[in-house]
Amino acid sequence: MAVIDLAAVRANVARIRQLVGERTLIAVVKADAYGHGAVEVSRAALTAGADMLGVVHVREALALRRAGIDAPLLAWLHTLNTDFSAALAADIELGASGRWDLEAIADAAASAGVTARVHLKVDTGLGRNGSTEEDWPALLARARALEEGGTIKVVGIFSHLAVADEPERAENREQMKRFAADVAAARQAGLTPSLIHLANTPATLTAADAVSPEDLLCSGVRVGLGLYGLSPLADETSADLGLEPVMTVQTFIANVKEVRAGQGVSYGLNYVCERPTTLALVPMGYADGVPRVATGGPVRVYPAGGEPVTARVVGRIAMDQMVLDLGEPGLSDPARGFLGARAVLFGNGENPPVEDWAEAAGTINYEIVTRISQRVERVYIGA
């Protein structure tokens, strides 16, 4: 199961609010709130002081509306199949990165007889979504014309930083300067956006208390990973940043057995026990979102009546299970309490941090929590 601590979400929002002051705090709950549960996390974040919610796809936004969440809500990545009419009917604000989606949004608004609230996105250097610098003047002119026609209102301008998790890199300042010029161009074109947002979680954590909103020309921030109590920075932990990890992934040991030296473990027999030992079976695998390549990931085992131990995954991780070498023989004795013991892959406190699993898998903490599959039951505490 994945235990989601909503009290930790609220504490993280409070911490972020300390950093951003009166700026608009956009809580990013895309990808089912990074695997934590979008509806539950959204409610907790809004209760704690987030001003609005951000998702990628309109269908994610519509799901939140169906759950009864009526807070301001922005969706910013679209395809030719995006249902803009449904988005407008649900009072969802929409990002636009070029002429095609801006025109589609305006057409849907005209058909519905409403005015769409639009955030224009400019690519200041990341090279993904967003208008190019070359196309920006034409996009601004068209947006202004559509505003005059009453089909849209540009309420926001935004972009995304490429290396904010490396705050010393010059590209951050270069992107900020380009963004400042892009915002100025929007205002010169006659647009009057009230919400200017550039900072993601790492930019918020490293710059929000050191650079004024006027310097950044930003009235809002978009915080994703920080909501979930995780650090985006290589040299600072969650605790260093005053954040509390929200997700704990745990299960129970399903089998314990004694094996002799030379016993191979899992597909490929890439791991062979060097001495007699005890193997413990953890009933989770890559179908549950545990990366297949994360051999060596730590698991904290809490035997009944005994001291907890941390053991590493050995052999290949399979679809439904993985194996721990407990390091000594004799632990299958029921009196030792390992069969049925709670087994924590990652979590808060003395449990392994999610970053240990990210290191084992050669990835980042974002991916580990987000990929925990829906086969894993979510249990919410701290509501």
Side-chain angles (χ1 to χ4, degrees):
M1 71 177 68
V3 180
I4 310 300
D5 188 349
L6 298 177
V9 173
R10 294 193 298 272
N12 294 332
V13 171
R15 169 59 179 155
I16 294 161
R17 176 57 72 192
Q18 288 179 334
L19 295 175
V20 304
E22 295 302 313
R23 275 175 279 185
T24 297
L25 173 54
I26 305 170
V28 179
V29 293
K30 64 180 181 175
D32 198 29
Y34 291 36
H36 292 67
V39 171
E40 294 81 2
V41 168
S42 295
R43 289 173 176 156
L46 292 166
T47 297
D51 299 296
M52 70 184 295
L53 304 171
V55 296
V56 169
H57 301 300
V58 163
R59 64 178 180 272
E60 295 177 306
L62 292 173
L64 292 174
R65 288 288 189 251
R66 288 193 296 270
I69 294 173
D70 59 3
L73 180 52
L74 169 65
W76 58 75
L77 180 59
H78 316 300
T79 73
L80 295 177
N81 296 319
T82 296
D83 191 343
F84 292 118
S85 296
L88 296 176
D91 194 26
I92 295 166
E93 298 180 19
L94 296 165
S97 293
R99 285 289 295 271
W100 83 263
D101 50 358
L102 182 63
E103 298 290 355
I105 293 167
D107 288 346
S111 296
V114 299
T115 299
R117 293 170 59 83
V118 172
H119 297 239
L120 296 180
K121 185 173 185 182
V122 59
D123 178 8
T124 54
L126 183 58
R128 298 190 318 190
N129 205 27
S131 169
T132 65
E133 295 286 343
E134 292 76 15
D135 291 342
W136 187 240
L139 183 64
L140 295 176
R142 182 56 180 157
R144 179 59 184 144
L146 291 169
E147 273 198 344
E148 291 175 344
T151 54
I152 74 162
K153 171 62 180 174
V154 175
V155 297
I157 303 286
F158 70 119
S159 189
H160 197 75
L161 294 167
V163 291
D165 55 341
E166 301 176 72
E168 73 285 353
R169 288 183 58 170
E171 292 95 333
N172 290 305
R173 180 55 59 180
E174 292 168 5
Q175 280 195 259
M176 290 177 186
K177 289 180 179 178
R178 290 175 66 177
F179 188 56
D182 294 330
V183 172
R187 290 175 172 148
Q188 291 167 4
L191 301 174
T192 56
S194 58
L195 185 53
I196 311 299
H197 46 113
L198 174 66
N200 52 10
T201 293
T204 299
L205 293 172
T206 59
D209 59 349
V211 182
S212 72
E214 292 76 19
D215 289 338
L216 284 173
L217 293 179
C218 291
S219 54
V221 298
R222 299 185 309 276
V223 176
L225 192 72
L227 294 180
Y228 312 106
L230 301 181
S231 172
L233 307 173
D235 58 351
E236 294 192 76
T237 66
S238 298
D240 293 335
L241 297 168
L243 301 173
E244 300 179 23
V246 171
M247 179 187 288
T248 296
V249 171
Q250 65 183 42
T251 183
F252 299 92
I253 298 298
N255 191 27
V256 185
K257 62 184 179 183
E258 307 297 322
V259 298
R260 61 182 180 274
Q263 173 68 54
V265 177
S266 197
Y267 294 119
L269 301 178
N270 294 329
Y271 180 83
V272 176
C273 299
E274 296 180 350
R275 58 190 182 280
T277 188
T278 308
L279 299 180
L281 188 70
V282 177
M284 293 186 71
Y286 60 77
D288 303 290
V290 180
R292 182 175 180 271
V293 298
T295 297
V299 178
R300 185 77 165 168
V301 182
Y302 293 85
E307 292 297 316
V309 299
T310 299
R312 299 275 172 174
V313 175
V314 296
R316 289 181 185 165
I317 294 172
M319 182 180 292
D320 311 295
Q321 52 196 290
M322 53 190 165
V323 178
L324 308 177
D325 185 342
L326 296 179
E328 60 179 282
L331 299 183
S332 64
D333 184 338
R336 302 299 296 269
F338 279 90
L339 181 61
R342 186 165 67 100
V344 180
L345 279 67
F346 59 83
N348 212 340
E350 65 179 1
N351 294 308
V354 67
E355 287 78 12
D356 285 0
W357 278 89
E359 181 178 1
T363 186
I364 56 177
N365 52 9
Y366 298 71
E367 182 179 349
I368 298 298
V369 292
T370 302
R371 68 185 293 160
I372 297 300
S373 79
Q374 290 304 307
R375 190 166 82 160
V376 178
E377 178 188 10
R378 267 62 171 177
V379 175
Y380 295 92
I381 64 174

